[in-house]
């Protein structure tokens, strides 16, 4: 493509929606048989979008339903349907004639920008430093049945937060205003983009300030209480863990009984062989 257009490879296309919807289809058309590869390519895009939506919507629904179980759990299906319709309506402006500019704005400042990095950083800190990476390590062992390598522990505690903090700082150091081809967004467009980012970023410090001001006690007591995990396991999980422990204990007892029986049998055989040898 760079040879056909007479440009450098780096100048063929920049990152963004044009890469998936313009450049890749053009590449697919140059490969024989092009209809077959085009079919596979767009099926891949469809499955990628569906899989992303399933995981995103399910994580959102699970968080909301777990926070208000008495109100939402009996109506989970209806609530999920209503939220999906609502999110579909929010996405309709992106398929209008100027929708690509809205999509680029959302993608730059919300989907793949500093807001996502901000939220993931605090999630990592909350799980690995507040809840405890050691407890996380044990939880994963209980789920999969074996201990993962210590490499993952080091990544959770040190490498992942350090890399995310570095990328976050580097984002502001190398920040450049958003563009769409030759079009430069106006100042109010950048303000709108940062407002979109802050709409999800401000909840982290906002709730921390609300918790400090609304919880009774001194600030040190409230802070200590806020960073102390108070996770209560469900009764089903406790029963399942106890059943697994009893099953493992029964298996070990059965194994020891088999070993004892084999040892007793070997002793009888040895005594029988000694008696035959003495008779001879």
């Amino acid at each position: 493509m760079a040879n056909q257009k007479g440009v450098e490879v780096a100048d063929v296309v920049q990152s963004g929606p044009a890469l998936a919807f313009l450049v890749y289809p053009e590449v697919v058309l140059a490969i024989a048989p092009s209809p077959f590869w085009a079919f596979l390519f767009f099926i891949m895009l469809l499955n990628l979008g569906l899989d992303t939506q399933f995981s995103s919507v399910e994580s959102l629904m699970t968080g909301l339903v777990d926070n208000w179980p008495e109100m939402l759990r009996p109506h989970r299906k209806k609530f999920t349907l209503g939220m999906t319709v609502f999110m579909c309506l929010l996405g309709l402006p992106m398929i209008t004639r100027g929708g690509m500019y809205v999509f680029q704005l959302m993608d730059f400042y919300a989907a793949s920008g500093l807001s996502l990095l901000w939220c993931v950083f605090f999630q990592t800190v909350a799980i690995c430093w507040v809840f405890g990476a050691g407890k996380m390590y044990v939880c994963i062992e209980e789920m999969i049945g074996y201990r993962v390598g210590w490499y993952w522990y080091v990544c959770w505690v040190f490498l992942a937060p350090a890399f995310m903090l570095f990328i976050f700082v580097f984002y502001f150091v190398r920040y450049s205003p958003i563009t769409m081809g030759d079009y430069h967004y106006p100042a109010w467009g950048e303000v709108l983009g940062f407002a979109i980012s802050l709409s999800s970023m401000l909840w982290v410090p906002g709730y921390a300030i609300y918790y400090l001001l609304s919880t009774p006690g001194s600030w040190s007591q409230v802070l200590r209480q806020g960073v102390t995990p108070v996770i209560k396991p469900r009764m089903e999980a406790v029963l399942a863990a106890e059943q697994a422990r009893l099953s493992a204990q029964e298996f070990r007892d059965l194994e020891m009984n088999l070993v004892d029986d084999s040892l007793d049998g070997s002793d009888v055989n040895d005594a029988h062989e000694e008696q035959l040898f003495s008779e001879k």
Side-chain angles (χ1 to χ4, degrees), residues 34-57:
S34 58
F36 173 73
W37 294 111
F39 172 78
L40 291 182
F41 174 75
F42 285 105
I43 285 295
M44 181 269 294
L45 282 183
L46 177 63
N47 290 331
L48 179 63
L50 290 176
D51 180 71
T52 303
Q53 289 302 313
F54 272 118
S55 59
S56 303
V57 173

Side-chain angles (χ1 to χ4, degrees), residues 133-148 152 156:
K135 295 179 182 178
M136 184 69 177
Y137 203 82
V138 174
C139 291
I140 294 178
E141 180 184 1
E142 292 180 354
M143 287 187 288
I144 64 178
Y146 60 90
R147 297 179 68 85
V148 297
W152 299 105
W156 299 335

Side-chain angles (χ1 to χ4, degrees), residues 6 32 43 46 54-55 61 83 85 96 98 109 115 119 123-124 135 146 148 150 169 173 178 190 192 199 238 246:
I43 285 295
L46 177 63
F54 272 118
S55 59
M61 294 300 104
M83 288 298 295
V85 172
T96 59
Y109 287 103
S115 60
C119 295
Q123 287 178 358
T124 305
K135 295 179 182 178
Y146 60 90
V148 297
W150 282 98
V169 175
V173 173
I178 181 174
E190 289 191 58
L192 178 61
S199 65
V238 174
L246 292 176

Side-chain angles (χ1 to χ4, degrees), residues 5-249:
K5 295 182 178 181
V7 296
E8 297 293 332
V9 176
D11 299 328
V12 173
V13 68
Q14 297 179 353
S15 61
L19 185 63
F21 297 106
L22 296 178
V23 177
Y24 283 166
E26 187 175 351
V27 172
V28 167
L29 291 176
I31 305 175
S34 58
F36 173 73
W37 294 111
F39 172 78
L40 291 182
F41 174 75
F42 285 105
I43 285 295
M44 181 269 294
L45 282 183
L46 177 63
N47 290 331
L48 179 63
L50 290 176
D51 180 71
T52 303
Q53 289 302 313
F54 272 118
S55 59
S56 303
V57 173
E58 185 62 24
S59 61
L60 175 62
M61 294 300 104
T62 301
L64 294 175
V65 171
D66 289 347
N67 199 39
W68 295 284
E70 295 83 4
M71 183 189 306
L72 298 179
R73 187 164 294 166
H75 309 284
R76 182 186 177 99
K77 293 182 179 179
K78 296 179 181 178
F79 178 67
T80 304
L81 177 62
M83 288 298 295
T84 52
V85 172
F86 175 69
M87 287 185 284
C88 179
L89 295 177
L90 291 179
L92 289 180
M94 299 184 191
I95 61 173
T96 59
R97 293 186 61 182
M100 187 58 68
Y101 297 95
V102 180
F103 175 83
Q104 180 74 356
L105 192 70
M106 296 288 294
D107 179 69
F108 187 83
Y109 287 103
S112 60
L114 71 162
S115 60
L116 181 63
L117 193 63
W118 172 273
C119 295
V120 172
F121 172 78
F122 281 101
Q123 287 178 358
T124 305
V125 171
I127 293 175
C128 297
W129 288 90
V130 179
F131 175 72
K135 295 179 182 178
M136 184 69 177
Y137 203 82
V138 174
C139 291
I140 294 178
E141 180 184 1
E142 292 180 354
M143 287 187 288
I144 64 178
Y146 60 90
R147 297 179 68 85
V148 297
W150 282 98
Y151 166 76
W152 299 105
Y153 183 89
V154 175
C155 287
W156 299 335
V157 178
F158 301 107
L159 296 183
F163 273 106
M164 284 186 283
L165 185 60
F166 171 77
I167 296 173
F168 188 81
V169 175
F170 188 77
Y171 179 91
F172 286 100
V173 173
R174 296 295 303 272
Y175 173 79
S176 58
I178 181 174
T179 59
M180 181 68 177
D182 296 332
Y183 176 77
H184 294 268
Y185 282 73
W188 64 265
E190 289 191 58
V191 173
L192 178 61
F194 279 109
I196 294 173
S197 298
L198 292 175
S199 65
S200 57
M201 295 171 61
L202 288 178
W203 291 103
V204 177
Y207 182 77
I209 296 173
Y210 165 78
Y211 185 84
L212 288 173
L213 298 178
S214 62
T215 305
S218 63
W219 282 26
S220 59
Q221 294 174 344
V222 174
L223 183 61
R224 189 181 303 108
Q225 179 181 348
V227 298
T228 302
V230 290
I231 298 177
K232 297 180 180 180
R234 295 178 301 168
M235 184 58 64
E236 296 85 350
V238 174
L239 293 176
E242 185 66 19
Q243 185 178 1
R245 187 186 66 81
L246 292 176
S247 300
Q249 183 64 36

